[in-house]
Amino acid sequence: MDLERIREGMTSFFAPRQDPNHAFPPASAAVFFNARMELNRDATVLLVSLLRPDRYLDAMGATGVRGLRIANECGVPVTINDRNSDAVDLIEQNAEGLGELVQVTQADINVLLSGRRFDAVDIDPFGTPAYFVDAAARSASRYLFVTATDTAPLCGAHLKAGMRRYFARPLNTDYHSEVGLRILLGFVAREVVKYDRGVEPLFCFAREHFVRLHLRLNNGAEAADRTLARIGFVHQCPACPARVEEHGLIARTHTCPECASLLQPIGPLWLGPVSDRLLLASMQEQLKKMELGKKAQLQRLMQTCESELDMASFYDYHRLAKRWRVSPPDIAALIARLQEKGFAASRTHHAGTGLKTDAPVGVLQEALTRG
Ligand SMILES: C[S@@+](CC[C@H](N)C(=O)[O-])C[C@H]1O[C@@H](n2cnc3c(N)ncnc32)[C@H](O)[C@@H]1O
């Protein structure tokens, strides 16, 4: 393998030189590496530096960058696994300076996870994590971290694939990125609760072409029931911007409160908070002390997530402005107008033109058109 040295955060490692003319350069070499996932890795390094699990499993290591960074930058013992022997050789080479902190294994992840428990389990596949979540839910003692890069099935662009992977019905809406995040979170929650355990989202977000979940797992039937109570549906009107949330495992029939059309159910999906605000505040403090390549972007992301309302969908207010033939105001001004009218309103990390509010559509139209 033709290798090049890369530095991410405080960690140096080797990755295969990629073919820049390949349709997807990260997959052009014998071992996968995607430099564009640095923020995703930075977020986990930051979080793990606070959580300090007893042992962290990087279940799908490739170059091993994730696990290497956790060992090197957080001082946490890690196991780095991959089933591919080229990857395992490279991980061993990359781990040389880290001594006892890094253990390297070569196994199919479902086999490894079925035979051993780890305090934190991280699943980072290329595509869907759906095939691995059940085994990860059994193996992880306290923390479960999951990436999905199959955003088209998650968000409703590939409807049938989404239904097959996640036992849920997405819908391609203006807020498709949020639907993807919440369908994945709902799916993971359902995989966990069958073992009488619950999930508590710590820091979950969607960005570019991936969704990233950081979850705490809590033991006991009560924790599982609290998790189940967060599952439900968003019912979207096909004719106007209105939508309604409904908790529960069965989607009932709803008509639009604005125009009486039959609403389309999206889900089951997660309706609860997707991050822990107190933890986000501590992470922002911790970030000040750390050297991370995507520090500024991560800081902005966490700030937005901290202020984001917990509701499960948002409006693209530029699209609403077009629909109602008005020029869109500044988002901060629009949020202030809605708050002055007594409604909650916030930005969302999903889109710069995304607006969350509990105001009815009529009030939103008034705030957009008349101020
Ligand atoms: C997207 S890459 C991981 C990227 C890496 N975590 C990073 O941050 O750069 C996915 C890796 O999972 C490995 N893999 C795929 N299926 C696997 C399985 N069933 N068991 C173990 N490893 C698997 C692949 O060989 C590949 O190296």
Side-chain angles (χ1 to χ4, degrees):
M1 245 186 297
D2 182 16
L3 299 174
E4 63 178 326
R5 187 182 277 280
I6 297 190
R7 189 182 167 88
E8 236 187 59
M10 302 289 283
T11 307
S12 267
F13 60 98
F14 289 100
R17 210 173 289 281
Q18 298 175 352
D19 174 1
N21 299 317
H22 192 276
F24 183 52
S28 66
V31 180
F32 185 96
F33 176 67
N34 188 356
R36 293 187 63 187
M37 291 298 239
E38 183 172 358
L39 181 136
N40 179 322
R41 288 185 284 268
D42 276 1
T44 304
V45 170
L46 173 62
L47 181 60
V48 170
S49 73
L50 284 175
L51 301 176
R52 304 209 58 77
D54 298 334
R55 178 166 286 272
Y56 164 99
L57 171 68
D58 177 355
M60 311 180 90
T63 60
V65 53
R66 240 167 229 282
L68 295 166
R69 290 192 58 191
I70 298 291
N72 187 41
E73 296 170 46
C74 310
V76 166
V78 303
T79 299
I80 309 180
N81 176 70
D82 205 290
R83 70 173 174 193
N84 172 328
S85 50
D86 288 330
V88 169
D89 290 346
L90 185 56
I91 297 165
E92 278 170 349
Q93 183 182 342
N94 279 332
E96 262 164 22
L98 288 164
E100 302 276 286
L101 268 183
V102 180
Q103 179 190 63
V104 184
T105 58
Q106 179 173 7
D108 183 279
I109 171 183
N110 281 328
V111 175
L112 177 69
L113 293 170
S114 295
R116 218 177 130 179
R117 298 204 79 183
F118 297 88
D119 207 16
V121 172
D122 196 331
I123 311 177
D124 186 40
F126 175 53
T128 180
Y131 317 122
F132 314 116
V133 176
D134 171 72
R138 282 183 277 118
S139 174
S141 301
R142 282 196 298 164
Y143 303 109
L144 176 58
F145 306 149
V146 180
T147 303
T149 61
D150 60 331
T151 48
L154 275 169
C155 297
H158 296 163
L159 178 65
K160 286 190 174 170
M163 293 195 293
R164 289 196 303 271
R165 302 283 175 272
Y166 301 106
F167 303 110
R169 195 178 198 291
L171 186 72
N172 203 353
T173 57
D174 284 354
Y175 49 95
H176 54 84
S177 155
E178 175 132 34
V179 166
L181 170 61
R182 288 174 181 277
I183 291 247
L184 180 67
L185 190 38
F187 170 77
V188 173
R190 297 198 305 282
E191 291 286 85
V192 170
V193 293
K194 65 195 177 192
Y195 298 112
D196 284 349
R197 307 180 80 197
V199 306
E200 192 183 326
L202 300 177
F203 181 30
C204 303
F205 59 95
R207 202 172 171 89
E208 294 177 346
H209 298 294
F210 71 86
V211 176
R212 180 70 172 157
L213 308 182
H214 296 99
L215 308 172
R216 192 196 309 274
L217 302 180
N218 297 316
N219 294 332
E222 276 181 24
D225 288 342
R226 278 197 302 277
T227 292
L228 211 50
R230 301 287 198 191
I231 302 287
F233 295 83
V234 174
H235 295 267
Q236 175 62 50
C237 181
C240 84
R243 72 283 308 253
V244 171
E245 289 183 17
E246 178 189 31
H247 286 79
L249 294 183
I250 298 168
R252 293 188 173 75
T253 301
H254 291 264
T255 50
C256 179
E258 303 287 330
C259 71
S261 300
L262 194 60
L263 301 188
Q264 295 178 332
I266 310 171
L269 44 68
W270 179 262
L271 289 178
V274 298
S275 291
D276 175 332
R277 286 198 179 79
L278 282 178
L279 183 63
L280 281 176
S282 310
M283 286 170 75
Q284 288 172 72
E285 279 307 304
Q286 176 80 351
L287 183 63
K288 292 178 188 157
K289 300 177 225 153
M290 295 184 73
E291 286 298 321
L292 298 175
K294 299 292 172 191
K295 191 168 182 167
Q297 292 94 321
L298 190 53
Q299 170 64 25
R300 279 199 299 277
L301 173 66
M302 287 192 295
Q303 248 168 8
T304 311
C305 290
E306 200 184 350
S307 66
E308 185 170 332
L309 293 174
D310 291 334
M311 57 196 46
S313 70
F314 62 86
Y315 300 92
D316 182 324
Y317 85 100
H318 277 208
R319 284 201 181 216
L320 292 183
K322 201 169 165 196
R323 179 186 180 97
W324 293 324
R325 297 172 198 280
V326 292
S327 62
D330 178 70
I331 190 163
L334 181 58
I335 287 172
R337 279 180 207 168
L338 288 163
Q339 287 171 340
E340 276 160 23
K341 289 175 188 287
F343 297 97
S346 77
R347 290 172 183 266
T348 165
H349 78 280
H350 290 281
T353 54
L355 171 82
K356 288 196 164 185
T357 182
D358 59 0
V361 171
V363 173
L364 183 52
Q365 181 169 10
E366 196 183 290
L368 252 175
T369 52
R370 268 177 269 151

